[in-house]
Amino acid sequence: MTTNEHSHPTSDYAPEHSPRLHWAQLAPDVYKAMVRLDAASRKGLDPVLVELVKVRASQLNRCAFCLDMHTKDALAAGESIERIIQLGAWEESRHFYTEKEIAAIELTEAVTVLTDGFVPDEVYEKAAEHFEEAELAQLIAAITVINAWNRFGVTTRMVPGHYTPGDSKH
């Protein structure tokens, strides 16, 4: 029996899908601009908080590639496995997070899921209580950028499981 790179017997697991297309190779200027935008959006923000936001948005958007990347990056940044696991049910696990982190998670959800057509005032105001204006602007940028990455990843079916922290972003 052979094994894949994750040391799982390949006959026991579903086959890995192929991406629909390699968008970064086909639109290199857009990809490079996204990488620069991602780096700019992180400035002045706590790296662990950024990864929590990226994981939560990726959970909501069901982006397997970004979930793989950002859970690994969160661990590399010092985040605990427990807090990453609980993030999907954070409302029942509030005691795992600071009030500032909860405000960021709530804002992430409001910006990510715009089905109601707006970010509620109370969510924005709570975030504004915990973040200075410049930091809040950066947080909104980071949330917006991960949502863009998620849309590239989900649409093109980028394949999760091959990312190692320290690799180039997306």
Side-chain angles (χ1 to χ4, degrees):
M1 182 179 301
T2 61
T3 59
N4 64 21
E5 78 173 65
H6 305 290
S7 301
H8 300 299
T10 53
S11 64
D12 293 343
Y13 288 83
E16 183 174 286
H17 69 270
S18 297
R20 287 178 171 153
L21 79 143
H22 297 280
W23 79 270
Q25 295 168 6
L26 296 166
D29 290 343
V30 175
Y31 173 77
K32 290 173 191 169
M34 283 293 299
V35 170
R36 289 190 306 273
L37 184 61
D38 189 271
S41 74
R42 294 170 173 266
K43 288 185 179 176
L45 294 175
D46 173 7
V48 173
L49 179 76
V50 169
E51 296 307 330
L52 284 175
V53 162
K54 289 178 177 279
V55 169
R56 186 63 190 132
S58 299
Q59 288 172 336
L60 293 167
N61 289 321
R62 299 178 183 195
C63 184
F65 182 86
C66 291
L67 275 171
D68 178 58
M69 173 181 282
H70 294 294
T71 55
K72 290 173 180 175
D73 282 348
L75 290 167
E79 186 53 88
S80 72
I81 291 171
E82 187 173 50
R83 283 173 27 112
I84 293 169
I85 291 168
Q86 292 300 318
L87 193 54
W90 68 268
E91 290 172 302
E92 297 296 321
S93 306
R94 296 175 79 87
H95 60 285
F96 284 80
Y97 307 99
T98 67
E99 288 300 318
K100 185 174 183 175
E101 290 168 337
I102 290 170
I105 293 165
E106 289 175 337
L107 185 62
T108 299
E109 290 189 359
V111 172
T112 300
V113 184
L114 289 173
T115 53
D116 291 334
F118 61 92
V119 174
D121 288 339
E122 56 274 8
V123 171
Y124 184 86
E125 289 164 8
K126 184 175 179 184
E129 289 173 17
H130 292 280
F131 293 87
E132 296 293 326
E133 272 193 333
E135 189 180 22
L136 182 57
Q138 290 297 127
L139 177 61
I140 293 166
I143 294 166
T144 301
V145 171
I146 189 56
N147 273 278
W149 281 124
N150 289 164
R151 280 149 179 76
F152 283 118
V154 170
T155 304
T156 64
R157 293 188 69 207
M158 293 174 71
V159 181
H162 303 283
Y163 176 76
T164 302
D167 287 356
S168 62
K169 296 291 175 196
H170 295 81

